Amino acid sequence: MSRVLTTFGLTAERTIVSIPSTAASPVRDDADGAGAPAAIDIGGERLVVIAGPCAVEGRDMILGIAQSVRQSGASMLRGGAYKPRTSPYAFQGLGIDALEFLSEARAATGLPIVTEVLDPRDVEHVARHADLMQIGARNMQNYPLLAEIGRTGRPVLLKRGFSATLEELLMAAEHIMAHGNAHVVLCERGIRTFEPSTRNTLDISAIPLLKARTHLPVIVDPSHAGGRADLVAPLSFAAIAAGADGLMIEVHPDPDCAQSDGEQSLDPTEFAELMARIAAFAQAAGRLPPGGWAIRSGDARDERGPLDAHAGRSGGHAEPSDARRGQSPKALATLRSGIERIDQKIMGLIGQRVELARDAGRVKREAGLPVIDEIQEHEVLARVRDLATSAGIPYEELHALQAYLIEISRRAQTREPHPSRTER
Ligand code: PEP
Ligand code: MN
């Protein structure tokens, strides 16, 4: 039998893999000024950025980098505990200790954890620490591992093997899903080609092709694709433009001294700069920018294990404020992102209105007409009564909003400086 579960056959909907986040505070307050995102949704409208070192090299190192990537707006923390190294003499990872440090980093920052599992015998233990279990490129066709991860039912990040076709990647995902796990995220991380300038060749076409052939979310790892820190930003932008749902980026406090993959790791400053630029590309691609996090004193710490946290998401765990509103946290997060999207549109439209008003002002001046046209403004305000009725909003409130819009445009027309500039 061919692919069934990864195709659009049984479902017309795109899968959103929802990773519960522990209690923390978003950088940008939501439109209603409340609460933290209850979950990181991979495959939704908002881009997801997973960031952190190739390998966890120590407790202080991972705690420090977790705080730093969180402040730059990362959605999740990555860090290898078990490293699949080409040489048996290279650093193999800190194993169980690294998993403990990662859990500590999650408790300190609220960032969900992504870490690789190499051995089917470790799956149960890794699942107790990881919020998203990674299957590396070298293990994409390790069928006992795929089966074991499938049986956990926990979110999994499946990386494309460097010589695997898209069909083989999707078949590997099918193995996981056939064992009862629907929470699969695919990752394009570059394939092996004849070109030696880069570690691998990022297969940009894989993104739209996968999005067409499967409902599963697709993210991109520009770090392993290019193998060079200077390529991480351009490859990230290209991935977003091609429709990726997120990125996984290696960030190290001191790349020159990294135990693995230093040459492709960004330092915290480079990562912050990249994150600042990503929002514009997200917007151009019709996506919301990555949801960020800010550290506030008194952030609630979630001491529950990740297994409990995940069970809690579907089992009714909710932030108190969410419970008060009678919403599931996931529903609330979706509503908030809808509100934010509308706000962005409104701001864009106000900008366009001001531009048109400026042009109108210029035309009026050239024609010798008065710039302020009281009759026209009166007519605009009169139309608000009809709009208010059809929108079900009190007339006075909409009238005040329209009057303020006219005021903003008037100032632009007459070139009066905006109060925010004069009051400072
Ligand atoms: C990694 O992400 O740490 C990693 C080893 O990547 P890949 O499996 O894609 O080589
Ligand atoms: Mn690496």
Side-chain angles (χ1 to χ4, degrees), residues 54 78 83 199 224 250 261 264:
C54 179
R78 66 152 285 152
K83 292 307 301 174
R199 182 173 177 181
H224 289 87
E250 286 188 338
D261 287 351
Q264 68 194 35

Side-chain angles (χ1 to χ4, degrees), residues 34 318-327 332:
E319 300 304 321
S321 57
D322 296 336
R324 255 201 320 274
R325 293 185 199 109
Q327 295 273 9
L332 199 53

Side-chain angles (χ1 to χ4, degrees), residues 76-387:
M76 300 179 71
L77 176 68
R78 66 152 285 152
Y82 301 96
K83 292 307 301 174
R85 303 306 298 280
T86 304
S87 163
Y89 310 114
F91 175 59
Q92 306 289 310
L94 297 179
I96 289 175
D97 287 347
L99 294 174
E100 299 289 341
F101 301 152
L102 283 166
S103 281
E104 232 182 292
R106 173 185 41 228
T109 61
L111 291 180
I113 299 300
V114 186
T115 197
E116 180 168 353
V117 55
L118 293 180
D119 187 326
R121 291 167 298 185
D122 292 332
V123 166
E124 200 185 325
H125 188 70
V126 174
R128 297 203 69 76
H129 293 272
D131 298 288
L132 180 61
M133 277 187 288
Q134 178 174 325
I135 298 179
R138 292 157 191 80
N139 270 313
M140 190 202 85
Q141 286 173 311
N142 179 341
Y143 298 114
L145 183 63
L146 299 179
E148 198 57 40
I149 287 195
R151 282 191 276 270
T152 66
R154 301 289 313 282
V156 41
L157 178 64
L158 178 64
K159 297 189 91 174
R160 179 182 183 183
F162 32 68
S163 299
T165 64
L166 296 182
E167 194 51 35
E168 286 163 345
L169 170 63
L170 289 170
M171 271 302 189
E174 190 80 24
H175 268 267
I176 298 169
M177 295 181 79
H179 283 88
N181 188 347
H183 311 292
V184 182
V185 178
L186 304 173
C187 181
E188 161 59 36
R189 44 78 72 208
I191 50 175
R192 184 161 284 176
T193 70
F194 53 82
E195 175 53 60
S197 319
T198 48
R199 182 173 177 181
N200 295 283
T201 297
L202 180 61
D203 182 6
I204 283 285
S205 334
I207 305 159
L209 285 173
L210 287 170
K211 302 284 289 190
R213 289 185 198 172
T214 178
H215 50 83
L216 297 174
V218 179
I219 71 164
V220 167
D221 173 348
S223 308
H224 289 87
R228 299 164 45 141
D230 63 338
L231 292 184
V232 171
L235 296 185
S236 298
F237 303 149
I240 294 169
D245 295 305
L247 301 166
M248 181 155 80
I249 295 172
E250 286 188 338
V251 185
H252 191 283
D254 183 4
D256 289 341
C257 299
Q259 302 242 36
S260 60
D261 287 351
E263 60 290 350
Q264 68 194 35
S265 300
L266 300 185
D267 68 26
T269 308
E270 290 166 333
F271 178 65
E273 284 165 7
L274 170 62
M275 289 299 283
R277 296 179 65 195
I278 272 179
F281 288 90
Q283 200 183 13
R287 307 297 288 253
L288 293 173
W293 306 74
I295 296 155
R296 289 185 195 160
S297 56
D299 269 352
R301 304 278 184 254
D302 192 330
E303 304 297 345
R304 290 167 304 131
L307 286 172
D308 299 339
H310 193 247
R313 177 166 52 85
S314 46
H317 162 74
E319 300 304 321
S321 57
D322 296 336
R324 255 201 320 274
R325 293 185 199 109
Q327 295 273 9
S328 79
K330 176 135 187 270
L332 199 53
T334 309
L335 293 171
R336 283 178 182 152
S337 67
I339 290 170
E340 191 177 321
R341 213 172 49 249
I342 289 170
D343 281 352
Q344 276 181 0
K345 281 190 190 147
I346 292 174
M347 296 307 156
L349 288 171
I350 292 176
Q352 287 176 24
R353 188 186 201 282
V354 166
E355 275 302 304
L356 289 176
R358 253 199 218 112
D359 289 348
R362 205 173 310 121
V363 170
K364 283 189 242 175
R365 266 192 298 277
E366 281 163 13
L369 296 167
V371 172
I372 311 290
D373 184 340
E374 304 277 356
I375 298 173
Q376 159 76 5
E377 289 178 4
H378 186 75
E379 281 171 10
V380 171
L381 283 170
R383 282 201 296 270
V384 168
R385 192 175 296 279
D386 298 337
L387 288 173

